[in-house]
Amino acid sequence: RGSVSPAHTPRGVSITRTMDKLDQPLDDVIADETAAARGQGVHRGGRPPKGGEAAPGGKAPRDTGNDKARNTGTPYGVTTGNDKARNTGTPSGVTHRQGQTVQDIANAPSGERTLKVSATTIPKKLAGSIIMVCEGGEAPMLLPLGAACVNQAVKGIAIAKRDMLEGRGGGEGAEPTYLSCFPEFRDEKRRSVSLQCDKETNPPWITSDADLTVASSTNPASTAGAIAGKVREGLKVAVRACGAEAVANAVYAMAHARQYLKDDGIDVYFCPEFEKEPVGADGQERTVLLLKVCKAAGSAAVGEAA
């Protein structure tokens, strides 16, 4: 019989309980404490049972992959449909009819005629979808996200514009329709745009007064200032771009320019088309996208054209 020194207290044995049992043999005290610990679900070494709470002085239970799945319901790194909607920011008042066919979108009311564009979207197929929606009424709004998506979207619009003029999209005897595009930012960082297409009855200009070339390193806001300045002078502006980043910068510049010209009572859109231009001195050519900047109907008169 004797007291238990704190320095030699067996692991998992309470000092307080031991002091209350000084009249018991040490072996009995240890046996009682061990039995109590087992009754509380504490394993040797102070570790808790799987999925339980940590014992005093023990380790907390380790999260497993199954625990994460039970807690979140979503695998790590996977974005749900709701998260995507929050991240991409569909414009206010616009509904994307996810999971429906192009024909359903063509029959949809205004504000629901939207087509989402990804980096892997095939421009020719997108052009066919644009034409189908146009035949059903109002032209669609395209929702690309990122430079590669914007590039594919503009290519699709250019192909649809060409095919509609060739009579594939309007039927025999139909009046010529010139597909146009009104870009607008849809996020605060101004790196995401919506492309509202429209059907124009008047053709865009044939010869430009000023040509601007946009590269992947071009600042869209600076190009927008040049576009707005020349539009105020009444000049016909063409914006050339080659490559996904360059095309995206050209579109962002147009969205900026629309904002710059708003206080002047002017709105602008662009009509995209493909154009060949020479590269080097050996007669080689490359295909670029040409954005013809045009004033929208109802805009204030400007420059010499006033």
Side-chain angles (χ1 to χ4, degrees):
R1 297 175 187 267
S3 63
V4 179
S5 172
H8 301 287
T9 302
R11 188 180 184 91
V13 176
S14 168
I15 298 291
T16 303
R17 291 183 181 179
T18 302
M19 295 298 291
D20 292 339
K21 301 178 180 180
L22 291 178
D23 58 340
Q24 296 183 13
L26 180 59
D27 290 340
D28 293 343
V29 173
I30 294 174
D32 291 343
E33 292 291 343
T34 302
R38 284 176 179 170
Q40 294 173 0
V42 180
H43 293 190
R44 291 187 64 182
R47 295 197 179 196
K50 186 175 180 180
E53 295 181 357
K59 293 185 179 180
R62 183 172 57 188
D63 282 338
T64 65
N66 291 335
D67 292 333
K68 288 182 181 179
R70 285 195 298 269
N71 293 337
T72 63
T74 305
Y76 179 76
V78 175
T79 305
T80 65
N82 291 337
D83 292 332
K84 287 181 180 178
R86 287 194 294 270
N87 292 337
T88 56
T90 301
S92 177
V94 174
T95 302
H96 175 60
R97 301 170 72 93
Q98 188 172 359
Q100 298 199 11
T101 66
V102 176
Q103 187 60 59
D104 291 332
I105 296 172
N107 295 331
S110 178
E112 298 183 22
R113 305 168 70 81
T114 60
L115 297 171
K116 284 199 171 182
V117 184
S118 72
T120 58
T121 297
I122 300 173
K124 286 186 178 180
K125 288 187 177 181
L126 175 60
S129 298
I130 293 172
I131 291 173
M132 183 180 293
V133 176
C134 285
E135 289 176 341
E138 293 180 6
M141 172 184 286
L142 307 189
L143 300 176
L145 184 65
C149 307
V150 172
N151 182 47
Q152 299 299 82
V154 176
K155 286 180 179 178
I157 296 172
I159 295 171
K161 171 178 170 288
R162 180 194 65 196
D163 290 352
M164 290 171 71
L165 286 174
E166 291 178 356
R168 300 180 198 172
E172 232 177 289
E175 292 293 326
T177 300
Y178 303 90
L179 196 63
S180 62
C181 179
F182 292 77
E184 184 175 357
F185 290 114
R186 55 190 175 107
D187 66 340
E188 293 180 358
K189 295 181 179 179
R190 298 183 178 181
R191 295 298 293 176
S192 175
V193 292
S194 61
L195 304 177
Q196 177 62 64
C197 297
D198 200 3
K199 298 184 288 186
E200 309 291 336
T201 55
N202 295 322
W205 46 260
I206 297 175
T207 306
S208 65
D209 299 316
D211 283 18
L212 302 175
T213 299
V214 175
S216 59
S217 58
T218 300
N219 183 343
S222 299
T223 302
I227 293 172
K230 295 186 182 303
V231 168
R232 290 188 186 102
E233 295 173 14
L235 301 179
K236 301 177 180 67
V237 185
V239 182
R240 298 174 183 274
C242 182
E245 291 288 342
V247 171
N249 284 341
V251 173
Y252 298 148
M254 281 294 302
H256 277 295
R258 291 187 68 202
Q259 293 179 337
Y260 296 167
L261 292 166
K262 188 174 181 179
D263 290 340
D264 298 292
I266 303 170
D267 196 8
V268 291
Y269 60 85
F270 69 83
C271 289
E273 58 186 53
F274 298 104
E275 187 174 272
K276 297 283 188 181
E277 68 176 23
V279 179
D282 54 0
Q284 292 187 348
E285 292 182 327
R286 69 173 182 176
T287 301
V288 301
L289 273 167
L290 180 69
L291 309 186
K292 292 185 173 182
V293 183
C294 305
K295 276 201 327 174
S299 293
V302 294
E304 297 178 0

